Amino acid sequence: PRPGATPAAAAAPQQPKKGPTLSVADKEESLTVLLWLYMNWKETYGHLKTLLAFPDMLSIPTQLCQPYFFKDIALSWLERNNLVSSHEDALQRWQHILKRDLVLLRRCLEDNHGMFWNITHPPASYAACYHRLRDFVHGSKKVYRDELQTVLYPVLVQLVIELIQYERGDGLKIAAAHALLDSAKEDHYKDHSTEFLALRSIFKKEHLDESGLTKKLHEKVSLSQMSTQLLSDFIRDDCTRFSCNILMR
C-alpha cells in the first residue's frame, strides 16, 4: 500500500461448495481415478481438479465430454443395454435413471471412459483403428461375423469424414483420409464405388460441406444384443490397450 493509505479489508475466503458425503470406498476410488488421470492425461486431470466437490456427479462427464456431449453418450448407452423401453423413454428419463443409481452411472462412465480424454491423435491413428476393427470382425465367429461386417463401411466413412473435417490447412489429414480409403478399397469399393470416388475427390474440408456427403452417407446399422456386446467390449478394450479413443467416439 502507498504510505498513509488505509489497507483494504481482507476479503473473506470463499467456501467451496459442499457436495454429498462420500464413503471411504468412494473417496479411495475417486483418488485412484485422479491419480491415474494425473499420471496419464494431465490436461483432463487439470479440468477435473476443479470439480472435486462433486456437487452433482452428472456434471463431471458433462463438462469433460467436449465436443462429444454426455447426453448423447448416455442415451446411446441406456438403449444399448436395454435399460429403457425406447429412445423417447431414454430422452425423458436418462438423467433421473443415472442420478438415482450411482452403480449404473459408474458403469456408464467405465464403458465410455475414452470419451472423456482430452487428447489429439496423429492422422495415421485413424487407419490403424479401422484395421484393428476389421481384424476383429474378420476374426469373429461366423455366427456374428456377417452381422458385424455391416459396421465396417459406416465406420470407415465416419473416420474419413472426421479426418477431412479436422483438416487444418497443411493437408496432412486429407492425405490420411485418402490413404485410409485406399487401404479399404478392396473391402468396399465394389459395393460403394460412387461414394468412394466422391470422398476420394475431396481435397479441402469446404468441399465436404458443399457436396452434402455428410448427410447422404449416414447409414443406420442394426445389431443383435450379442453382436452389440461383442463390439462394445472390443471397442472398450481397444481404447484402453492403445490409449486411443477414436473408435469409441
Side-chain angles (χ1 to χ4, degrees):
R2 300 187 311 274
T6 303
Q14 289 187 340
Q15 296 297 321
K17 290 182 181 179
K18 199 169 183 181
T21 303
L22 298 178
S23 68
V24 173
D26 284 337
K27 288 179 181 177
E28 288 179 351
E29 182 179 275
S30 300
L31 289 171
T32 302
V33 170
L34 288 172
L35 177 61
W36 182 85
L37 283 171
Y38 181 77
M39 296 299 293
N40 295 277
W41 309 109
K42 289 190 179 178
E43 186 179 345
T44 301
Y45 167 82
H47 188 80
L48 183 59
K49 197 167 57 172
T50 65
L51 305 169
L52 288 182
F54 297 108
D56 179 353
M57 284 191 72
L58 280 174
S59 71
I60 298 168
T62 301
Q63 293 187 47
L64 286 179
C65 195
Q66 298 292 341
Y68 309 96
F69 299 108
F70 182 64
K71 177 181 177 181
D72 297 329
I73 300 166
L75 291 176
S76 175
W77 184 83
L78 289 168
E79 291 181 62
R80 194 166 69 240
N81 287 276
N82 294 321
L83 295 167
V84 287
S85 58
S86 64
H87 183 69
E88 290 70 27
D89 183 33
L91 281 172
Q92 292 176 4
R93 299 196 307 125
W94 72 275
Q95 290 195 62
H96 173 70
I97 293 170
L98 295 180
K99 280 184 177 179
R100 184 188 61 198
D101 192 333
L102 291 185
V103 173
L104 273 186
L105 177 57
R106 282 178 181 155
R107 272 183 53 201
C108 180
L109 297 182
E110 288 169 3
D111 285 350
N112 298 284
H113 63 89
M115 302 295 292
F116 314 121
W117 299 354
N118 296 324
I119 55 180
T120 303
H121 299 293
S125 297
Y126 285 74
C129 283
Y130 173 77
H131 294 149
R132 289 197 299 269
L133 176 63
R134 182 177 63 185
D135 291 345
F136 160 73
V137 170
H138 290 174
S140 300
K141 292 182 179 179
K142 184 155 191 339
V143 65
Y144 306 117
R145 190 187 310 143
D146 292 344
E147 194 176 13
L148 289 169
Q149 288 268 20
T150 62
V151 170
L152 289 176
Y153 182 67
V155 169
L156 172 71
V157 168
Q158 290 305 311
L159 294 178
V160 169
I161 287 176
E162 184 171 302
L163 278 168
I164 295 172
Q165 288 175 331
Y166 287 178
E167 171 61 32
R168 294 184 177 179
D170 55 10
L172 293 178
K173 287 186 171 61
I174 297 289
H178 291 171
L180 174 53
L181 281 169
D182 292 344
S183 72
K185 190 171 182 179
E186 287 188 21
D187 299 334
H188 306 292
Y189 185 78
K190 183 178 178 181
D191 296 326
H192 304 280
S193 57
T194 302
E195 298 162 357
F196 229 79
L197 291 173
L199 284 171
R200 191 64 177 77
S201 65
I202 291 175
F203 288 88
K204 290 185 178 180
K205 61 182 177 181
E206 292 79 11
H207 296 166
L208 184 65
D209 297 329
E210 293 167 4
S211 69
L213 282 171
T214 50
K215 294 180 180 178
K216 296 176 186 174
L217 293 175
H218 279 295
E219 187 173 333
K220 188 171 181 178
V221 175
S222 296
L223 298 176
S224 66
Q225 183 66 29
M226 191 61 202
S227 292
T228 299
Q229 189 61 53
L230 288 170
L231 183 60
S232 298
D233 290 345
F234 164 76
I235 289 174
R236 187 175 60 249
D237 293 344
D238 184 86
C239 183
T240 302
R241 182 180 176 190
F242 294 96
S243 297
C244 181
N245 64 351
I246 292 172
L247 285 178
M248 187 171 279
R249 289 194 278 102

